[in-house]
Amino acid sequence: MAEICYFGGLVHYKSPSLPLSLHSLFRSKKPHYYNSTSLMAECLSSSTVEPPSLLVFSGGTGFNGVVEELKKLTTRVAHVLPVSDDGGSTAEIVRVLGGPAVGDIRSRCLRLSDESTSEALAVRRLLGHRLPIDAHQAKKDWYDIVEGNHSLWDGVSRPYSETIRAFLIYFQNEIHRRPNERFCFSNGSIGNFFFAGARIFFQSLDAAIFLFSRVSEIPCDSLVLPVISTNDRLTLGCELQDGTIIRGQNEISHPTTGTTQTVDKRHCSTSALPSKIKRVFYMSSEGNNLLHEVFPPVNPTVLEQLRSVDCIVYAMGSLFTSICPSLVLLGVGEIISSRSCRKVLLLNGSQDRETSRFTASCFVTAIADALNRTHGDTNIRLKNPPGYYINTLLVPKDGEIAVDLKQLSEQGIYDVVSISFLHLFPSLCAQQTLTVTSTLLQRVVESVGDPKHGILFNPSSLINTLAGLVE
């Protein structure tokens, strides 16, 4: 049986039944010094024909629906995600235990996880499970899971169950060490709890991602990268054009009335902001009693990937709280503007609280402003035109966002992919304000309607279109 032993201030996990593969993982790949680039190189060393490589800036929801389809095109994808989500069970973990938010990272890891065997599916089901909303029932279910008595363990072999349980137990232990903070398990994510336990145990977010990736058998050339590799708690802030400051990602995008309330992420669930967002920035109270603006360094592996990938993608999702937090960091705009590769914006299909009344060119401006740090410190400001950051725009058919072709062409964006444009704006095309190539007719990005998220890209159509761009 797995056990956690304490030796002074050290913690040692003992499990004589760990499979050889996991023993080797801990011996040969020290999570404390995990280098995602070197791991990817090892995985690709035996391949002679490499599929295209992509780097995707996204959040934990919007792009998830196309991850499975993307794996059919390539697994050489660096998924760059923010660590500032403060909604749902993530908020409760951060409130009690501190540290960065792991919800978006956990969500993407699960989407990438293996489904080829019954055990892989069982592990995915366990780590993807959410506890009941009712606090009493949630706590009861949690104890059943920690003690190994819950039906979710069915199909998970003993070596894997002991490995996963060890970090769930460690997470529980950390909660007990904070008797002044009562933890609420309502709607809690088992994957988030496992992730948090691993991060605290190793004192490394990269190590926790490495462990989660191995346990869930993510393709070894797929990278899940926090845009900031930190053990500190970071809060996202935004400044509106009227000068208002809003603190917290959830308060910006999906405000709720309490920390345990389920976050409603429907595109029409909340009213528009009173003024347009001017900029987003990071805040912290670490080492200071007051929440103040901070300037964390970007994860070096993100910069390494930006220098080498075949295509950079700004995914659909919450523009200012999912995409821009990864763009405002020093070094990101510098590298993207220097690349001559495809730089693709996937336009949202529906309006949301952050982008009410936005046109397509407004999305482009917001991304360019974030990468240029237009509204930040003048000493680190860039002045690159939007076309240095985006050269291709993909639009879901029948989307709600107005596509203002003249403004886009003035921004230097001439490759706009949607069959509907030829019907809606024939005069603009005839006037050559937009360059329409013969391949445009072949790049139809179909869409699907979703009652929760509105108009979305059809996953297979989107990936087929991306394939035509990068292959």
Side-chain angles (χ1 to χ4, degrees), residues 73-86:
L73 169 65
T74 178
T75 56
R76 297 180 63 208
V77 182
H79 300 264
V80 180
L81 296 136
V83 291
S84 49
D85 181 19
D86 58 0

Side-chain angles (χ1 to χ4, degrees), residues 409-424:
S409 66
E410 290 173 352
Q411 291 175 321
I413 300 169
Y414 301 100
D415 197 348
V416 180
V417 182
S418 176
I419 190 67
S420 58
F421 295 163
L422 295 180
H423 301 295
L424 294 176

